[in-house]
Amino acid sequence: MVLELYLDLLSQPCRAIYIFAKKNGIPFQMHTVDLRKGEHLSDAFAQVNPVKKVPAMKDNDFTLSESVAILLYLTHKYKVPDHWYPQDLQARARVDEYLAWQHTTLRRSCLRALWHKVMFPVFLGEQVPSETLAATLAELDVNLRVLEDKFLQDKAFLVGPHISLADLVAITEVMHPIGGGCPVFEGHPKLAAWYHRVETVVGKELFREANEVILKVKDSAPVNLIIKQKVMPRVLAMIQ
Amino acid sequence: MGLKLYLDLLSQPCRAVYIFAKKNGIPFQLHTVDLLKGQHVSEQFLQLNCQRKVPVLKDGNFVLTESSAILIYLSSKYQVADHWYPADLQARARVHEYLGWHTDNIRGIFGVPLWTKVLGPLIGTQIPEEKVERNRKNMFESLQRLEEKFFGDGTFLTGYQVTVADLMCLEELMQPVALGYNLFEGRPQLTAWRARVEEFLGANLCQQAHGRILSIQEQAAKNTLPVPYPEVQSRMMLRIARIP
């Protein structure tokens, strides 16, 4: 039975997995789990992932959650080109280091930037104080600076001359505030250049396809009130 | 040149790295970076890690941060027993699944009691009771989720043998335990798991690794803790402000 991926391209980690699978020609059946319609909270989806989050993967009887776990599983199972997750011990450690660092830093800022700027007002119909948004955007800027100064530096890609899982995860994160209309590259020219390199390697068509949903996020329909009640506590926990 | 590990055993991820290296007989030079004395904000340490955090690994000229990256690097380089970070595709995936879940559900939550009970008061800051209570509730809810998700099949978090996942988890849980929270009461599965991990590691190693965190509250009570200097205090205030 073919690999099943449960994704909503609204979600950054889902985009990373989507791009990775497509780019590497990994055959999969896509199951869209529409977060804005609360589909992740259904009993049916709980059978796949009791934690009720995307992304989730099902490989016959083996179900797996957590995006880094899924990306690494796909990397090893499908024997993708080495540059994605190098065999070389130190090069690989750099990818691991980035993937660990970004989870509570860049990932968190990108998520908060999108939610404070767009999702709260447009989707949830909740106003966000301007000081809150300003603080969120300031923190995003700090993390973008670390991305540029500690990780990218003068290299073509985050861990070296070739694209890796680190770049994929990073770019799908920055697409969040980009989709939200934040001027992510202002004051970060190296990141702008890196972004174009990643887009080129991924392929413009695949990149566009993967980002279609996030680039239209400002047009999100207001949430259904029943769904709002269900998702609100989870949203608040998520962006804490 | 040899392997160097820059650690403060007050820190949960540092303890995980320390225990792992010791248990596996990995030779290393311990460089203690005393957080309370602000050694992590020294110019010297900044050269090593611009993020001013521990743990840090230095292997020749190669400097590595992030505890999970360090654990995986050590596993591979020193070819430790397979169970720590299994080669098997699915077993390894489960370890990474735990590590991802851990970052959202454990990390950041179980470290709070040290701040509320010791570090905040040390710099004259009382964290509001409301936040202390919220954190207690968050910890207990996390433990519930931990038991539901990872205590199904197997005697350890991801299977039938100890992995790096168990180390990361245990060391986070030790933080509030050392501060007097009885996390294990009424949780027989969790208690049994902890006993199994500690038995595997050995009492001596556990004592060595846990000594500093276990004595911190007593030291605070006796006023024998160094009072952090202003630059460190302002960083601490930033961390305190992030307590939900």
Side-chain angles (χ1 to χ4, degrees):
Chain A
M1 213 188 142
V2 81
L3 184 81
E4 295 171 88
L5 295 176
Y6 294 78
L7 311 173
D8 182 339
L9 296 182
L10 180 65
S11 135
Q12 321 94 297
C14 287
R15 291 194 289 272
I17 289 166
Y18 182 84
I19 292 174
F20 186 74
K22 285 270 180 177
K23 181 70 183 166
N24 287 288
I26 296 170
F28 68 92
Q29 188 183 18
M30 169 101 160
H31 295 273
T32 299
V33 180
D34 194 326
L35 298 172
R36 285 172 287 187
K37 292 196 180 131
E39 286 178 2
H40 55 306
L41 302 176
S42 70
D43 290 335
F45 184 64
Q47 297 298 311
V48 177
N49 185 10
V51 177
K52 302 180 187 180
K53 285 183 172 181
V54 285
M57 179 202 88
K58 202 159 183 272
D59 192 3
N60 290 301
D61 292 330
F62 183 66
T63 56
L64 189 62
S65 61
E66 295 299 331
S67 56
V68 170
I70 294 171
L71 284 168
L72 292 176
Y73 179 88
L74 296 178
T75 296
H76 293 307
K77 179 164 177 173
Y78 294 91
K79 300 188 182 12
V80 302
D82 182 74
H83 62 77
W84 287 111
Y85 192 61
Q87 288 278 30
D88 175 77
L89 199 61
Q90 292 187 1
R92 174 176 289 201
R94 288 275 168 253
V95 178
D96 288 332
E97 184 185 42
Y98 181 74
L99 294 177
W101 173 81
Q102 60 87 34
H103 197 143
T104 51
T105 52
L106 187 63
R107 163 133 222 260
R108 183 175 172 269
S109 315
C110 288
L111 199 59
R112 286 166 67 86
L114 181 72
W115 280 83
H116 286 160
K117 188 148 201 290
V118 174
M119 299 303 278
F120 268 95
V122 173
F123 176 62
L124 293 174
E126 301 275 333
Q127 279 317 303
V128 173
S130 56
E131 318 86 68
T132 305
L133 178 60
T136 294
L137 295 178
E139 197 175 323
L140 173 62
D141 200 68
V142 167
N143 284 312
L144 289 172
R145 189 147 305 289
V146 177
L147 179 66
E148 209 170 28
D149 296 346
K150 177 183 160 74
F151 291 99
L152 182 62
Q153 296 179 340
D154 292 313
K155 305 192 293 295
F157 297 95
L158 291 181
V159 307
H162 303 292
I163 199 173
S164 72
L165 291 178
D167 301 280
L168 205 51
V169 167
I171 205 147
T172 50
E173 289 299 335
V174 303
M175 285 311 297
H176 241 42
I178 288 172
C182 303
V184 160
F185 299 120
E186 223 166 82
H188 302 285
K190 282 188 190 172
L191 284 186
W194 162 81
Y195 173 95
H196 289 296
R197 282 192 294 272
V198 176
E199 185 190 31
T200 303
V201 172
V202 164
K204 294 221 158 113
E205 187 45 43
L206 174 56
F207 196 76
R208 188 204 57 76
E209 203 182 291
N211 292 311
E212 209 168 359
V213 173
I214 192 63
L215 289 173
K216 288 195 243 167
V217 74
K218 284 188 277 190
D219 303 327
S220 293
V223 70
N224 167 295
L225 289 176
I226 296 170
I227 292 174
K228 181 177 176 178
Q229 252 187 321
K230 291 191 208 173
V231 301
M232 206 58 185
R234 290 174 62 94
V235 166
L236 293 173
M238 176 181 73
I239 64 163
Q240 199 158 258
Chain B
M1 255 277 250
L3 183 73
K4 295 177 184 174
L5 294 176
Y6 295 78
L7 311 173
D8 183 338
L9 296 184
L10 209 54
S11 139
Q12 311 89 300
C14 283
R15 291 196 296 269
V17 169
Y18 179 84
I19 289 172
F20 184 80
K22 284 279 187 185
K23 183 68 184 169
N24 286 290
I26 295 170
F28 67 93
Q29 201 178 59
L30 174 65
H31 289 257
T32 298
V33 181
D34 192 321
L35 299 174
L36 290 179
K37 289 185 182 159
Q39 290 176 352
H40 57 307
V41 303
S42 71
E43 269 309 307
Q44 204 186 13
F45 189 71
L46 196 66
Q47 296 301 312
L48 194 65
N49 181 14
C50 59
Q51 294 279 283
R52 301 172 193 194
K53 287 187 170 176
V54 283
V56 180
L57 170 151
K58 192 162 194 263
D59 192 1
N61 290 324
F62 180 66
V63 176
L64 186 64
T65 62
E66 297 298 331
S67 53
S68 54
I70 291 171
L71 288 169
I72 293 168
Y73 178 82
L74 292 175
S75 298
S76 310
K77 176 158 181 176
Y78 293 90
Q79 294 175 332
V80 303
D82 179 75
H83 66 81
W84 285 109
Y85 186 58
D88 174 74
L89 184 65
Q90 292 189 2
R92 181 169 290 194
R94 289 277 172 246
V95 172
H96 279 285
E97 185 182 44
Y98 176 76
L99 293 176
W101 183 91
H102 172 97
T103 307
D104 285 329
N105 290 273
I106 303 283
R107 191 89 185 106
I109 297 172
F110 288 77
V112 171
L114 181 64
W115 289 91
T116 59
K117 291 206 159 190
V118 174
L119 300 181
L122 185 65
I123 61 171
T125 300
Q126 285 306 323
I127 281 97
E129 191 52 39
E130 180 204 11
K131 290 193 173 191
V132 175
E133 192 43 44
R134 185 172 298 128
N135 174 246
R136 212 176 64 84
K137 187 164 162 282
N138 285 342
M139 285 195 291
F140 288 147
E141 285 172 359
S142 265
L143 289 178
Q144 185 96 352
R145 291 194 298 271
L146 177 71
E147 285 192 313
E148 276 165 22
K149 190 166 167 65
F150 296 100
F151 283 75
D153 302 320
T155 43
F156 295 95
L157 292 179
T158 61
Y160 291 89
Q161 293 192 287
V162 173
T163 67
V164 295
D166 298 282
L167 279 190
M168 293 286 274
C169 186
L170 179 69
E171 291 318 310
E172 286 293 336
L173 266 43
M174 282 312 294
Q175 208 81 336
V177 163
L179 274 308
Y181 281 77
N182 201 343
L183 299 183
F184 294 93
E185 192 180 313
R187 294 188 184 277
Q189 269 193 307
L190 201 66
T191 304
W193 163 79
R194 177 194 174 182
R196 283 192 289 271
V197 179
E198 290 187 335
E199 194 193 6
F200 180 82
L201 297 176
N204 280 342
L205 179 54
C206 288
Q207 213 161 27
Q208 235 176 72
H210 298 154
R212 179 147 155 84
I213 191 65
L214 287 172
S215 67
I216 200 84
Q217 210 170 16
E218 192 187 327
Q219 285 185 279
K222 288 183 181 165
N223 283 320
T224 55
L225 288 179
V227 178
Y229 57 88
E231 191 190 339
V232 180
Q233 289 204 26
S234 39
R235 287 174 64 86
M236 287 170 74
M237 289 304 293
L238 289 174
R239 172 64 190 94
I240 288 168
R242 280 167 63 130
I243 296 171

